[in-house]
Amino acid sequence: MLNRSKLMPMIYELVNNDKNFLNNIKKYLHNAFEEYKKIQGNEEELIKKIKDSNTSWLTAIPIENFSSIKPLPSVPVNYSVLAVDGSQIMPDHHEIRICYLINIGYVILSYGQNSYATMNSIPTLFYKEEELYKDTNGYKTFITQKDLSFKRTIMEYNKIFECISELDKDISMAFIDGTLIEWMVQGDENESIIISSILKTFNKAKELNIPLVGYLSSPKSNDFINMLRVCICPSKAVNCNTCSYLKSGNNLPCNKISKINDSDLFSIILKDGERSPMFLSTSHILERYGEHKIAFFYMNTGSEISRIEIPFWVTEKSELVDFIHAACYDQAKKGKGYPISLQEAHEQAVVSGNDREMFYNMLSNICVKNGIKMSRSYKSQRKRSGIL
């Protein structure tokens, strides 16, 4: 249990630290906003400087002029949205059987004439030797949390692939909770297999003219701020590896905006319902996405700044971009700050502590009825019963 008397001083220290940071952040925001105004109208020059730069951070590339802040388009009366989310019960060596479960929740919400809602979840149990272990350089190793996360991601995309054909291709979108950029996969031994698997869904979505949309609530990304840092750098050819300011020990010119992120800046640029210009992500994993490079924009939902990610082909269809802009805003309003369809998909997918307990009780009872002896580890039993 927590020792409150020892914890309290640390919490006070944290709060004081945050107060100091908030006092300083205004200065960084002012600097960033001034730089933002300076580059308007000079996009071509900036793009060239970004492409010629060598930085240690990811940098957005603008694909619309900076002056093109877009107001909220009309929200269509008739539209449909498919949302998918997943959850899992992790394998536990102290339980009666080593296995794991992935639960995929999905919803289809259709508005307007002939409106309807489909909500469901599909659990899948993994228990076979080949599902629990993998071969790593000739050694049999137990699957990791990361492996399970990748498997879940593939299953979420597979569910979209399965359901997307049910949508009206003229005015529908498929929602993913979070980023479309699977940067966590980069460097994994199965990187190629994982990316190939999810790109099947990207191809299907493009074929049906139904955009995949990644929704990031309260994003912490810095792609746009990093772009401004390249702009601020006095060097004509930006190269962080040979930065003369670093070598001389002087303050870096680009550091005058480094303490804020993209959503901090767009919270003072965008009004309720407006979206930013679109940008292309330069995440290295996207080199594997082929024609499905990921673009993004920021949007003021009225509650927060969210980041909306879309495949590049969508950016070339202004009517689709307007639809996504309007539908994302409408979904966030219906969900009182967060898209209602993603909330419902999460509710379908989530596996609570009670669900987990029920699962192991069901497994235990069925095993006993079939004459299979099962027992939990002493550690698990002691945690359940306590000492007293």
Side-chain angles (χ1 to χ4, degrees):
M1 62 185 294
L2 280 175
N3 185 324
R4 293 187 183 187
S5 62
K6 290 188 176 177
L7 181 60
M8 286 302 286
M10 298 180 209
I11 293 177
Y12 278 117
E13 189 179 328
L14 180 153
V15 170
N16 285 331
N17 180 71
D18 282 3
K19 279 168 69 179
N20 291 334
F21 175 75
L22 289 173
N23 287 334
N24 288 328
I25 200 171
K26 290 177 185 172
K27 180 181 69 178
Y28 290 100
L29 276 174
H30 172 78
N31 293 339
F33 189 62
E34 290 302 310
E35 291 303 323
Y36 169 75
K37 288 193 291 186
K38 276 185 203 170
I39 56 177
Q40 291 185 26
N42 298 307
E43 287 84 356
E44 292 300 322
E45 193 181 322
L46 173 62
I47 290 171
K48 184 176 184 314
K49 191 172 183 182
I50 293 169
K51 288 185 174 174
D52 290 342
S53 69
N54 181 12
T55 68
S56 52
W57 1 272
L58 293 177
T59 309
I61 295 180
I63 52 179
E64 285 184 317
N65 290 332
F66 287 120
S67 56
S68 58
I69 299 291
K70 302 289 186 186
L72 179 67
S74 299
V75 177
V77 176
N78 302 301
Y79 78 91
S80 300
V81 56
L82 162 67
V84 174
D85 198 8
S87 182
Q88 68 276 321
I89 294 176
M90 295 296 296
D92 185 345
H93 290 78
H94 299 286
E95 276 296 348
I96 56 177
R97 174 70 156 87
I98 299 177
C99 56
Y100 58 95
L101 181 149
I102 296 179
N103 195 37
I104 302 296
Y106 65 99
V107 303
I108 299 175
L109 301 180
S110 186
Y111 301 92
Q113 285 185 326
N114 305 317
S115 60
Y116 67 92
T118 301
M119 299 185 185
N120 208 344
S121 66
I122 307 293
T124 306
L125 186 59
F126 299 90
Y127 56 89
K128 295 175 184 171
E129 173 108 353
E130 62 270 25
E131 294 167 339
L132 297 172
Y133 298 91
K134 61 179 182 178
D135 183 71
T136 307
N137 300 325
Y139 292 96
K140 191 172 83 169
T141 57
F142 196 68
I143 61 156
T144 64
Q145 188 166 353
K146 195 172 164 188
D147 295 324
L148 206 151
S149 174
F150 292 156
K151 186 185 278 281
R152 193 183 99 175
T153 298
I154 291 172
M155 291 173 70
E156 288 171 355
Y157 276 100
N158 286 346
K159 179 49 70 178
I160 291 177
F161 187 93
E162 185 185 319
C163 296
I164 201 168
S165 301
E166 298 176 28
L167 301 175
D168 182 341
K169 64 178 68 173
D170 291 328
I171 194 152
S172 300
M173 65 180 190
F175 248 147
I176 287 280
D177 184 13
T179 182
L180 296 178
I181 305 168
E182 299 296 338
W183 57 271
M184 288 282 289
V185 172
Q186 193 166 334
D188 188 88
E189 58 190 329
N190 293 315
E191 176 183 321
S192 181
I193 296 170
I194 296 166
I195 296 299
S196 297
S197 296
I198 69 171
L199 287 184
K200 288 177 188 170
T201 303
F202 276 76
N203 289 334
K204 182 75 171 176
K206 185 180 179 186
E207 176 192 323
L208 295 174
N209 199 42
I210 296 175
L212 291 177
V213 178
Y215 189 96
L216 287 86
S217 173
S218 189
K220 303 300 177 197
S221 42
N222 290 315
D223 309 50
F224 183 76
I225 292 296
N226 290 340
M227 187 189 69
L228 292 182
R229 292 176 73 184
V230 170
C231 183
I232 289 170
C233 181
S235 305
K236 279 190 177 176
V238 179
N239 188 337
C240 295
N241 293 327
T242 57
C243 177
S244 58
Y245 292 89
L246 265 180
K247 289 177 181 172
S248 65
N250 293 329
N251 285 334
L252 301 178
C254 63
N255 270 355
K256 68 179 187 178
I257 62 169
S258 61
K259 300 289 184 187
I260 58 174
N261 59 40
D262 294 357
S263 59
D264 291 329
L265 179 56
F266 281 111
S267 68
I268 63 171
I269 294 175
L270 301 175
K271 296 173 187 166
D272 187 358
E274 288 184 338
R275 75 160 175 87
S276 72
M278 289 188 286
F279 306 94
L280 195 60
S281 170
T282 54
S283 181
H284 299 306
I285 192 66
L286 295 179
E287 290 165 13
R288 284 195 170 273
Y289 276 49
E291 62 176 331
H292 298 297
K293 303 280 188 193
I294 301 300
F296 64 91
F297 60 81
Y298 292 96
M299 181 184 72
N300 186 338
T301 67
S303 305
E304 63 171 0
I305 299 298
S306 61
R307 171 167 158 147
I308 312 296
E309 295 184 349
I310 49 179
F312 183 73
W313 67 267
V314 180
T315 68
E316 297 173 323
K317 299 187 176 190
S318 59
E319 74 284 358
L320 266 185
V321 175
D322 284 347
F323 164 60
I324 292 166
H325 180 182
C328 285
Y329 183 84
D330 187 49
Q331 285 288 299
K333 283 295 176 193
K334 285 181 165 65
K336 300 189 184 305
Y338 186 71
I340 187 70
S341 53
L342 288 176
Q343 288 183 46
E344 294 297 341
H346 174 75
E347 285 301 315
Q348 294 296 318
V350 71
V351 179
S352 67
N354 287 339
D355 291 332
R356 183 182 184 282
E357 195 72 16
M358 180 188 71
F359 162 69
Y360 279 115
N361 285 337
M362 286 170 62
L363 178 60
S364 174
N365 291 337
I366 293 171
C367 286
V368 169
K369 283 180 184 175
N370 284 274
I372 301 173
K373 263 192 163 182
M374 291 282 170
S375 65
R376 291 185 167 103
S377 72
Y378 279 104
K379 179 178 176 179
S380 177
Q381 291 178 42
R382 299 304 293 174
K383 277 186 173 180
R384 280 179 163 79
S385 61
I387 295 174
L388 298 177

